[in-house]
């Protein structure tokens, strides 16, 4: 059987469709409609062109935020949300549970120290409160948690309820114990007992935090401590530049996540707690935290993938360092230190310890002494970091 095929003339698909037997009135309406459609199309084209030009003006910058655990990386990200983001409102409610956990953890460490150091409470009635805390094996176990992380603290509603219940159960004991001179004496051994830097801040504000309608302030959130696990990407726009900042956990068990992010980085912000010269790692009590930071800095800066990457060094927690130097000698922990125990000499010494790590003299390095919980200071430093990144981009482009 023979087959035949028929070809249907579809016309030019780009030409406007003209109905057959079109009346003059229909033609007039069609032409008006086509004019409006063309005008609308041209407006869209202009908008797309403007958006493209605007996007071309904007540049992306990729930054890695690195450093040992508890160096202040998360605090810097909170500051960026305040200064160049949408603020902290979206996470305010969730940080309430973190504040409660921070306070419980602090008092647990202090009461453990009373026993470990062989002290006796000055206020006799506080013994019952001490015994109440001693019944807690740990705050994590009391809340049935394996670990406190940003992810868990933000998502687990049950953790919120459990933390509130545990806090309310112990708040009277916390208030009573914080007023005991022996507990204050234990606080002076904060570095030895693993007490968080923000412990005094929260314990001094215990009455405000204990109110039924309590909601954390920006300062509370900046002071709150919670562990980062894995890698988190954060985007901020600063002076027409989109910054992609990657925050990675500083705990030793988390550092294997770092390497894949070393490629195509505009700059590294490395954070070190300069106040941690008398502390040891939580994961290894035989390793000094400052020594660990310096060794980590050495490894990163001399990594082959980082040879041409600018480094911005934040020597953080200078406020804590200044206070600590009034009663702790740096030379007791760093015998090579020969200067006096004054802030200027100590910071100069530690800055040089980091700068001596560089194997290449051509490395572009910028150093800032920071107080990451101070928003006013961080505004200035963030602006400086933006200038540094832009200047380095111009240098790479051969424009300067």
């Amino acid at each position: 059987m023979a087959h035949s095929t028929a070809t249907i003339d579809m016309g030019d698909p780009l030409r406007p469709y003209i109905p057959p037997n079109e009346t003059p009135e229909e033609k007039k309406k069609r032409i008006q409609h086509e004019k409006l459609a063309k005008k609308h199309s041209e407006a869209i084209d202009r908008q797309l062109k403007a958006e493209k030009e605007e996007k071309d003006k904007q540049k992306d910058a990729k930054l890695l935020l690195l450093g040992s655990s508890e160096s202040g990386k998360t605090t810097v990200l909170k500051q960026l949300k305040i200064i160049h983001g949408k603020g902290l409102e979206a996470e305010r409610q969730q940080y309430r549970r973190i504040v409660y956990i921070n306070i419980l953890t602090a008092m647990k460490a202090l009461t453990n120290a009373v026993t470990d150091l062989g002290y006796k409470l000055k206020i006799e009635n506080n013994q019952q409160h001490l015994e109440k805390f001693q019944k807690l094996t740990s705050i994590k176990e009391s809340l049935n948690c394996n670990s406190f992380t940003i992810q868990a603290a933000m998502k687990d509603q049950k953790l919120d309820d459990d933390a509130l219940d545990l806090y309310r159960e112990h708040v009277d004991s916390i208030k009573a114990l914080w007023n005991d001179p022996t507990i204050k004496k234990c606080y002076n051994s904060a570095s030895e007992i693993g007490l968080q830097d923000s412990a005094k801040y929260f314990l001094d504000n215990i009455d405000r935090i204990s109110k039924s309608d309590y909601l954390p302030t920006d300062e509370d959130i900046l002071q709150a401590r919670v562990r980062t696990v894995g890698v988190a990407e954060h985007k901020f726009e600063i002076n027409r530049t989109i910054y992609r900042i990657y925050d990675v956990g500083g705990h030793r068990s988390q550092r294997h996540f770092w390497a894949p992010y070393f490629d195509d980085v505009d700059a590294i912000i490395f954070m070190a707690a300069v106040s941690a010269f008398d502390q040891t790692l939580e994961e290894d009590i035989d390793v000094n935290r400052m020594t660990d930071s310096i060794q980590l800095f050495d490894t990163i800066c001399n990594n082959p993938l980082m040879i041409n990457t600018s480094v911005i060094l934040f020597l953080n927690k200078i406020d804590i360092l200044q206070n600590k130097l009034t009663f702790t000698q740096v030379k007791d922990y760093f015998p090579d230190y020969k200067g006096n125990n004054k802030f200027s000499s100590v910071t100069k010494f530690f800055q040089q310890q980091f700068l001596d790590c560089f194997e290449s003299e051509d490395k572009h390095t910028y150093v800032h002494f920071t107080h990451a919980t101070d928003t006013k200071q961080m505004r200035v430093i963030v602006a400086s970091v933006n200038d540094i990144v832009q200047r380095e981009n111009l240098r790479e482009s051969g424009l300067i």
Side-chain angles (χ1 to χ4, degrees):
M1 180 182 290
H3 293 276
S4 64
T5 60
T7 302
I8 300 175
D9 185 6
M10 301 296 293
D12 186 349
L14 299 180
R15 292 180 61 186
Y17 171 71
I18 300 176
N21 304 318
E22 183 180 41
T23 66
E25 184 64 27
E26 289 172 338
K27 180 178 181 180
K28 182 179 179 181
K29 289 182 178 179
R30 176 176 59 79
I31 291 173
Q32 288 176 340
H33 177 74
E34 289 173 358
K35 286 181 178 179
L36 288 173
K38 183 180 180 183
K39 186 176 181 180
H40 182 63
S41 177
E42 289 174 346
I44 293 175
D45 288 343
R46 287 194 298 271
Q47 181 181 349
L48 290 173
K49 183 179 179 181
E51 289 176 354
K52 183 179 184 303
E53 291 175 349
E54 181 68 19
K55 187 174 181 180
D56 288 342
K57 291 178 183 178
Q58 293 181 330
K59 294 182 179 180
D60 280 12
K62 179 180 175 182
L63 272 63
L64 286 186
L65 186 57
L66 305 177
S68 300
S69 183
E70 296 188 45
S71 56
K73 300 187 300 298
T74 304
T75 305
V76 168
L77 286 169
K78 294 174 191 174
Q79 291 285 20
L80 284 168
K81 290 179 183 179
I82 293 172
I83 300 167
H84 291 289
K86 298 180 180 179
L88 303 173
E89 202 60 40
E91 52 206 278
R92 199 173 301 282
Q93 183 69 36
Q94 288 84 352
Y95 260 97
R96 186 178 68 162
R97 68 193 73 166
I98 298 174
V99 170
Y100 293 151
I101 291 170
N102 279 188
I103 293 173
L104 287 163
T105 301
M107 188 51 69
K108 176 61 178 172
L110 288 167
T111 52
N112 284 348
V114 172
T115 303
D116 294 343
L117 297 174
Y119 294 160
K120 291 190 178 297
L121 297 174
K122 296 293 184 182
I123 302 175
E124 186 176 346
N125 290 340
N126 282 344
Q127 186 61 34
Q128 60 178 325
H129 299 303
L130 178 70
E131 291 171 357
K132 190 170 186 177
F133 264 93
Q134 288 176 333
K135 291 178 182 177
L136 294 174
T137 53
S138 76
I139 304 304
K140 291 178 184 178
E141 291 179 21
S142 299
L143 293 172
N144 297 315
C145 290
N146 294 323
S147 177
F148 293 136
T149 65
I150 288 178
Q151 292 87 338
M154 290 300 175
K155 296 178 181 178
D156 191 347
Q157 182 59 44
K158 184 177 184 301
L159 178 59
D160 190 37
D161 297 335
D162 291 348
L164 177 58
D165 290 343
L166 191 66
Y167 178 77
R168 286 176 174 169
E169 181 185 343
H170 290 80
V171 66
D172 290 338
S173 295
I174 295 169
K175 290 180 180 180
L177 288 166
W178 185 235
N179 286 322
D180 195 295
T182 299
I183 292 290
K184 295 290 179 64
K185 183 179 179 181
C186 289
Y187 173 79
N188 291 333
S189 303
S191 297
E192 300 170 27
I193 65 177
L195 197 63
Q196 292 178 334
D197 296 326
S198 57
K200 186 176 187 301
Y201 170 83
F202 286 124
L203 289 168
D204 282 346
N205 285 276
I206 191 73
D207 289 332
R208 173 176 62 83
I209 293 170
S210 300
K211 292 181 179 179
S212 59
D213 60 349
Y214 168 66
L215 201 60
T217 63
D218 282 359
E219 179 67 15
D220 293 347
I221 296 175
L222 288 170
Q223 294 283 350
R225 296 291 177 264
V226 62
R227 181 180 168 190
T228 301
V229 173
V231 179
E233 179 185 352
H234 304 267
K235 289 175 64 176
F236 301 95
E237 181 177 342
I238 305 175
N239 295 341
R240 307 175 76 84
T241 297
I242 303 298
Y243 282 85
R244 296 178 183 273
I245 302 178
Y246 294 86
D247 175 29
V248 294
H251 194 279
R252 280 188 167 184
S253 64
Q254 297 293 309
R255 295 176 189 176
H256 64 281
F257 288 114
W258 296 11
Y261 293 85
F262 284 0
D263 188 36
D264 193 29
V265 174
D266 291 282
I268 290 174
I269 297 178
F270 186 93
M271 299 198 64
V274 73
S275 61
F277 67 87
D278 62 341
Q279 296 173 261
T280 60
L281 295 179
E282 177 186 359
E283 57 268 39
D284 189 342
I285 60 173
D286 293 324
V287 177
N288 179 279
R289 285 195 182 186
M290 182 61 76
T291 300
D292 177 69
S293 288
I294 295 169
Q295 291 174 347
L296 183 59
F297 186 76
D298 187 327
T299 302
I300 291 169
C301 293
N302 297 309
N303 185 298
L305 294 175
M306 299 283 102
I307 295 300
N308 298 316
T309 304
S310 296
V311 177
I312 303 167
L313 175 62
F314 282 11
L315 294 179
N316 192 34
K317 302 190 179 183
I318 57 173
D319 54 320
I320 299 172
L321 173 67
Q322 287 175 314
N323 177 62
K324 189 174 286 188
L325 291 177
T326 62
F327 56 85
T328 306
Q329 295 291 317
V330 172
K331 63 183 179 182
D332 290 343
Y333 300 88
F334 284 81
D336 291 343
Y337 178 62
K338 305 302 181 184
N340 58 38
N341 216 53
K342 301 297 183 181
F343 177 81
S344 58
S345 299
V346 170
T347 50
K348 183 178 180 180
F349 169 75
F350 284 122
Q351 175 179 322
Q352 196 59 50
Q353 293 290 303
F354 282 95
L355 295 181
D356 286 344
C357 292
F358 291 109
E359 296 175 0
S360 171
E361 296 181 358
D362 297 329
K363 192 79 170 180
H364 296 294
T365 311
Y366 307 86
V367 182
H368 294 280
F369 292 97
T370 59
H371 176 184
T373 57
D374 184 339
T375 302
K376 184 177 179 180
Q377 191 218 30
M378 288 307 300
R379 283 185 188 276
V380 176
I381 290 175
V382 169
S384 176
V385 169
N386 180 56
D387 289 342
I388 290 167
V389 172
Q390 300 307 323
R391 187 162 58 249
E392 289 302 314
N393 285 339
L394 290 173
R395 192 193 307 277
E396 288 182 11
S397 302
L399 298 177
I400 60 172

